[in-house]
Amino acid sequence: MNIRAAVLRATGAARPYADSLPLSIETVRLDPPGPDEVLVSVKAAGLCHSDLSVIDGNRPRPLPMALGHEAAGVVEAVGQGVDDLKPGDRVVMVFMPSCRHCAPCEAGRPALCEPGAAANGKGELLAGGRRLHDATQDLNHHLGCSAFAEKAVVSRRSLVRVPDDLPFQHAALFGCAVLTGVGAVMNTAAVQPGQSVAVVGLGGVGLASVMGALAAGASTVVAVDLSDDKLALARSFGDVATVNAADADAVDQVRTLTAGGADVVLEMAGSALALDAAWRMTKRGGTTVTAGLPPPDAALSVNVVQLVAEARALKGSYIGDADPERDVPRYVDLFRQGRLPVDRLLTRTIPLDQINAAFDELADGRTVRTVVTF
């Protein structure tokens, strides 16, 4: 079948993207679903910094590639062997498919699935190969999803069923921003009631972390960012203190607000400088978690004596150490209880044709989550 999709053919386009048009809206061919695959009619797809980092070249991926990885839609058809989803089911896409058989999957860490990571790196689906084509060549899949498109064929292991009354534009956010941000709080850091938490970087993932910290029962939550608008949004979630990262004494302010340093500090800005600040905001015996993805050559210098003598922990978190089949329903329940106001992350919805200009807004920090709707 033929579908419309946003295709990236080269990285490093000049800004503004509204003029250079790095993403071309093309009619491409989509194969039917193979064994253990599902055809999804995409209804909503969020713009994430992980997409932007492919466009600007900071996260090299095989090209040409149909972008988009944070999405929700409706099952249209299922391939052989798929017996737990049916046409009409509402689903969220997850950007790390899990085979359930490799060592990390069997150890309960599907976010580290080895075949899934290998397939994502090659631009293939979990079963191997590509299902998207133009007139002359195959198109690579973005993280097994390629969701900036009218329809997508994905692995069954890239989907989680969600309630039929969950709005698509909100459901999409659970596949990346919420899984990553809330998961970093609840899974990676395992924040306990009464602990203090600081979050550095208030994009969609960082703001989801602020929500997660409140839902986990943190006694003190501090949000840190350069944008006064995003700081105000963080305060609207509940009892949240804020610090502008541009302040010369930003680290000291956080340490004062948390009585000497936070128990847990989460870096969500994708910056080595932000991670260094997060490290310095963390108390003795505390944990610093990073889920940001800076350029591949970014590095952090840590004082090893401090690491040991202060019994500190520095942890990376990929997709929030999530088990999507477990965590997406749990986070949806928290949303429906009013404890995770995920709908507040949505800045606006746009048609596919406006996607390049919307990435300018994301790059400038003017939006939290813009969602393409179909």
Side-chain angles (χ1 to χ4, degrees):
M1 71 185 73
N2 289 330
I3 63 167
R4 294 173 73 240
V7 179
L8 180 71
R9 295 188 176 274
T11 61
R15 295 277 313 280
Y17 297 138
D19 295 333
S20 61
L21 303 178
L23 292 173
S24 56
I25 310 304
E26 304 180 17
T27 297
V28 301
R29 191 173 80 256
L30 178 65
D31 295 337
D36 298 317
E37 294 176 352
V38 179
L39 171 64
V40 177
S41 177
V42 180
K43 299 301 182 184
L47 276 63
C48 174
H49 271 277
S50 294
D51 304 305
L52 181 61
S53 65
V54 178
I55 294 170
D56 65 20
N58 278 324
R59 299 290 294 175
R61 294 287 178 182
L63 300 178
M65 173 173 279
L67 284 193
H69 69 282
E70 179 185 79
V74 175
V75 173
E76 191 165 305
V78 299
Q80 180 183 356
V82 178
D83 57 10
D84 56 348
L85 288 176
K86 64 184 186 303
D89 285 346
R90 193 169 295 209
V91 290
V92 165
M93 292 186 188
V94 177
F95 65 87
M96 173 55 76
S98 52
C99 72
R100 300 291 175 173
H101 302 300
C102 67
C105 283
E106 290 189 341
R109 303 193 72 185
L112 299 180
C113 177
E114 293 168 345
N120 281 359
K122 291 186 288 186
E124 298 183 348
L125 295 190
L126 185 62
R130 298 160 181 84
R131 312 293 180 266
L132 287 164
H133 322 276
D134 64 17
T136 62
Q137 63 186 323
D138 295 339
L139 301 176
N140 292 287
H141 296 271
H142 186 211
L143 300 175
C145 297
S146 292
F148 295 145
E150 294 169 326
K151 300 179 191 295
V153 167
V154 301
S155 168
R156 168 63 187 90
R157 305 309 312 171
S158 295
L159 298 173
V160 178
R161 189 166 186 261
V162 294
D164 291 340
D165 61 349
L166 184 64
F168 290 113
Q169 69 269 28
H170 301 151
L173 307 183
F174 285 86
C176 177
V178 177
L179 265 187
T180 303
V182 179
V185 171
M186 296 190 174
N187 297 326
T188 310
V191 170
Q192 300 299 304
Q195 287 191 307
S196 56
V197 176
V199 179
V200 181
L202 300 181
V205 174
L207 286 164
S209 293
V210 173
M211 295 178 188
L214 292 169
S219 60
T220 302
V221 179
V222 184
V224 183
D225 198 87
L226 294 167
S227 166
D228 287 333
D229 289 340
K230 291 178 180 178
L231 293 171
L233 180 57
R235 288 194 297 271
S236 76
F237 298 159
D239 187 10
V240 177
T242 56
V243 172
N244 194 301
D247 293 347
D249 63 343
V251 170
D252 290 337
Q253 288 185 54
V254 173
R255 293 185 66 86
T256 297
L257 288 166
T258 56
D263 293 299
V264 173
V265 183
L266 302 113
E267 184 276 314
M268 301 299 184
S271 159
L273 288 175
L275 181 54
D276 176 72
W279 175 259
R280 290 183 286 122
M281 294 171 185
T282 309
K283 70 181 295 184
R284 290 168 54 90
T287 300
T288 309
V289 174
T290 178
L293 288 172
D297 59 352
L300 174 71
S301 177
V302 173
N303 183 293
V304 178
V305 172
Q306 183 184 37
L307 178 68
V308 175
E310 296 186 2
R312 301 273 290 277
L314 176 62
K315 305 180 72 173
S317 178
Y318 189 61
I319 195 174
D321 281 317
D323 181 337
E325 292 284 352
R326 175 197 68 200
D327 291 340
V328 169
R330 180 168 62 167
Y331 300 159
V332 169
D333 284 345
L334 289 172
F335 169 58
R336 298 173 87 171
Q337 294 168 21
R339 297 175 61 194
L340 283 180
V342 172
D343 55 310
R344 308 280 291 281
L345 300 178
L346 179 64
T347 303
R348 65 188 181 105
T349 61
I350 60 167
L352 183 61
D353 293 333
Q354 295 179 14
I355 194 169
N356 285 293
F359 271 113
D360 280 320
E361 295 174 346
L362 181 63
D364 291 338
R366 287 180 279 147
T367 60
V368 176
R369 270 301 190 269
T370 297
V371 173
V372 176
T373 54
F374 297 88

